Amino acid sequence: MVIEADVAVIGAGMAGVSVAYELAGEHTVVLLEQESQPAYHTTGRSAAMFLESYGGPEVRALTAASRPLFDSAGSLLSPRPLLWVAPEEQMDRLATLAAAQPELRRLDPAEAAAHCSALRTDWVAGALLEENASEIDVLGLHQFYLGGARRRGTTVLVGAAVRAGRHDGSRWLLDTAAGPVAAAAVVNAAGAWADEVAVALGVPPLGMTPLRRTAAVARTGRVDRAWPLVADVGETFYFRPEGAGVLVSPADETPSEPCDARPDDLDVALAVERVNEATDLGLRSVRTAWAGLRTFAPDRKPVTGPDPAAPGLWWLAGQGGYGIQIGPALGRMAAAAVTGGAVPEALSVARFR
């Protein structure tokens, strides 16, 4: 039996569920997820922060445009300021960030330590504070979209990896592990697998690069739940409170094949070492560690919109490490593109074709 729909969305991470939600109701939608559950990979392993000072101009604009959804959908955000810190050798980077985003508050070492008492004032040469940063309830946001899409009539299929597909001149015919699917339009929201999906559909890939990001929760005898997220402007580490411990990351970007990412012990050790260098926490042991894949296009900007090389195919990929915080705006943009709306040139698929 062939499942028929107006739109088939491939991938049930944040990108896929957001565009399915936006399209459903007005269109019949089938959401195809290769794993046994949605949000198994990157969405479920996010650092879960809403940071308006993070990323390039396009990402920051999408983040700001996403804020109304977060504010209107209930308790999806919890205040957690972001403290950008810099040792002496990173002060030029700090000055560049301060000039680009004058809304960030400049702090001296003592003021930075007042916000996070674990910081060593002989390591911190300067800091910037983003006061309105927040933690995101990622599961809550994902369920908002997934549950809403289902209520609007979306069919969700798990264990439905797309093995092949072709366009017959009027619609896409997809061979999936859950059976055949036919749809007038296909949205490729497959995250780290976006290029592999394109190849399965007979379409040239875009050159997406999955990069592994490692995180761990380290034990510590002292942690203040009010501490901000602390990140160095050189993007070599970050940390924040996590329960009775501290979440740490070396902010690594290790090229990877699309896979179920696993943490590397050396990366975990590097995260602990870098946090210990900047603080007096004296972290020694790790309670748990994990890794996820952040997938970037060659220019590190998100990719959305129609593929000029394939009729009826749209992309929603390349969100990198920003996919959760820009999900609402990018999902709306992708849905509008499918129904005839325009996409900014800087984010369009055409820039690679």
Side-chain angles (χ1 to χ4, degrees), residues 210-230:
L211 303 174
R212 189 178 71 237
R213 170 61 56 92
T214 306
V217 175
R219 297 181 179 88
T220 177
R222 54 178 289 246
V223 62
D224 185 339
R225 286 289 302 160
W227 283 346
L229 169 69
V230 179

Side-chain angles (χ1 to χ4, degrees), residues 1-83:
M1 175 181 171
V2 178
I3 295 175
E4 299 195 12
D6 297 329
V7 185
V9 177
I10 302 172
M14 193 63 73
V17 297
S18 63
V19 71
Y21 171 87
E22 297 291 349
L23 287 166
E26 298 296 321
H27 306 274
T28 57
V29 178
V30 59
L31 183 60
L32 305 173
E33 170 55 49
Q34 68 175 355
E35 304 296 345
S36 61
Q37 65 186 59
Y40 177 77
H41 290 288
T42 300
T43 295
R45 308 176 194 190
S46 166
M49 292 295 298
F50 186 91
L51 307 171
E52 295 188 67
S53 63
Y54 189 39
E58 294 84 5
V59 167
R60 295 201 303 273
L62 288 165
T63 301
S66 296
R67 183 116 206 180
L69 183 282
F70 284 105
D71 290 340
S72 66
S75 55
L76 294 176
L77 297 180
S78 301
R80 174 78 63 192
L82 165 63
L83 188 64

Side-chain angles (χ1 to χ4, degrees), residues 128-197:
L128 293 169
L129 182 66
E130 181 182 330
E131 296 181 90
N132 65 344
S134 301
E135 287 187 33
I136 301 172
D137 178 357
V138 177
L139 178 59
L141 180 63
H142 188 271
Q143 287 301 312
F144 170 87
Y145 280 125
L146 181 61
R150 281 178 162 143
R151 287 190 295 274
R152 291 178 173 185
T154 296
T155 298
V156 180
L157 299 180
V158 296
V162 175
R163 299 183 291 215
R166 64 183 179 87
H167 195 269
D168 70 358
S170 62
R171 61 180 184 169
W172 281 94
L173 305 175
L174 305 178
D175 173 22
T176 86
V181 173
V186 170
V187 178
N188 182 358
W193 286 263
D195 269 355
E196 291 192 356
V197 166

Side-chain angles (χ1 to χ4, degrees), residues 299-321:
D299 61 4
R300 296 179 72 89
K301 298 176 185 177
V303 180
T304 191
D307 191 323
L313 176 63
W314 278 260
W315 288 71
L316 179 55
Q319 295 92 337

